[in-house]
């Protein structure tokens, strides 16, 4: 089996500060988390920003500038800027920072969907910030909008005009067909790096059968023109990505996707999850790719071609 890419998604826009004291929030915290994750073996860092005063997900370029230049200086990791931002943001807001930074890589969500986070309210907690509880409650009426027009805009502005390549976030079978549609329109070129996303309420559940079926359909639609990676939310993170690694896929960890390192135990850092999956995949006989190996595999433009 070939080399394996470990992506680490450092903070995301799903978890809120009250859920873990280890969730990186400020620019220096996110920068430190990224350096540690890269040192542990992550070759791609998937990046969202937060408002350092409130911990709220942010798409502001100023907030990205609180850690992106540090990560560009202190790591050789591929910096992958989210275009998903948070499902509550407009596409204009979500695109401001990636358009300015012109990264090597960006995420691209392949369909509109429900994005229901309110089950996380189940636990009693002391909320650190006023915004957190309503933010989660209101996801019972939230559509994460990623229409074909939105997708085409991201592909054109970031891909065609700025040379970024994509982590195609596919939460459901339908998203694979949408990806094929854009391949047929000539707006993307292989190899397609497909991130199968499991466990978001609104997308597919974390059942192993879903992974085998996604692969069956991806094989049909893309033949040898794709690579797959897996992320899974919460406690399904390690089991599902281990399955992906055993099947020849790539893996994503990070506190964006899961706050724990084992059932009921908070991860103390992003790097702790990288170390854990690294050990698992190496025991499976996989070799972790360096950032430059990941660049070559994914056909990226290079870290010297970005605006960070
Ligand atoms: N938060 C994950 C479920 C994005 O940033 O564009 C998917 C994600 C989306 O990472
Ligand atoms: Zn993300």
């Amino acid at each position: 089996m070939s080399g394996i890419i470990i992506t680490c998604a450092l903070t995301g826009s799903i978890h809120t500060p009250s859920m873990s004291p280890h969730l990186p929030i400020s620019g220096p915290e996110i920068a430190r988390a990224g350096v540690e994750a890269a040192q542990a073996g992550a070759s791609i860092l998937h990046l969202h920003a937060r408002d350092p005063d409130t911990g709220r997900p942010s798409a502001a370029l100023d907030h990205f500038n609180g850690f992106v230049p540090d990560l560009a200086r202190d790591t050789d990791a591929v910096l992958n800027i989210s275009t998903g931002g948070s499902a509550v943001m407009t596409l204009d807001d979500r695109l401001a920072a990636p358009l300015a930074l012109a990264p090597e890589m960006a995420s691209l969500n392949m369909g509109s969907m429900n994005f229901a986070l309110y089950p996380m309210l189940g636990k009693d907690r002391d909320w650190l910030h006023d915004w957190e509880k309503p933010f989660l409650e209101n996801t019972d009426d939230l559509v994460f909008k990623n229409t074909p027009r939105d997708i085409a805009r991201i592909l054109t502005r970031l891909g065609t005009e700025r040379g970024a390549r994509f982590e195609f976030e596919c939460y459901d079978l339908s998203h694979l067909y949408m990806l094929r549609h854009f391949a047929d329109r000539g707006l993307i070129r292989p190899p397609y790096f497909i991130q199968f996303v499991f466990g978001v309420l609104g997308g597919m559940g974390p059942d192993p059968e879903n992974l085998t079926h996604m692969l069956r359909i991806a094989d049909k639609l893309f033949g040898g023109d794709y690579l797959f990676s897996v992320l899974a939310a919460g406690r399904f993170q390690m089991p599902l990505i281990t399955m992906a690694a055993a099947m020849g896929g790539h893996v994503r960890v990070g506190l964006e996707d899961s706050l724990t390192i084992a059932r009921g135990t908070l991860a103390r850092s992003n790097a702790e999850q990288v170390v854990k999956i690294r050990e698992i995949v190496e025991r499976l006989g996989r070799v972790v790719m360096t950032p430059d190996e990941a660049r070559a595999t994914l056909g990226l433009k290079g870290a010297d071609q970005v605006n960070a």
Side-chain angles (χ1 to χ4, degrees), residues 12-15 48 82 84-88 94 109-120 135-146 169-171 175 197-203 231 233 252 256-257:
S13 60
I14 291 177
H15 296 119
H48 293 244
S82 171
S86 163
V88 300
R94 286 157 48 184
N109 295 270
M110 291 312 294
S112 300
M113 56 187 286
N114 295 323
F115 213 96
L117 306 177
Y118 60 85
M120 290 195 288
F135 167 80
L136 296 169
E137 280 168 349
N138 287 328
T139 61
D140 68 346
D141 194 29
L142 177 64
V143 174
F144 185 25
K145 179 177 163 304
N146 299 289
E169 315 268 359
C170 292
Y171 303 70
H175 297 177
V197 181
F198 294 91
V200 171
L201 185 58
L231 79 85
R252 174 169 135 174
E256 170 164 349
D257 304 334

Side-chain angles (χ1 to χ4, degrees), residues 64-87:
F64 276 96
N65 280 335
F67 56 86
V68 169
D70 303 74
L71 291 173
R73 186 189 62 232
D74 297 339
T75 77
D76 61 353
V78 174
L79 303 187
N80 169 354
I81 309 288
S82 171
T83 68
S86 163

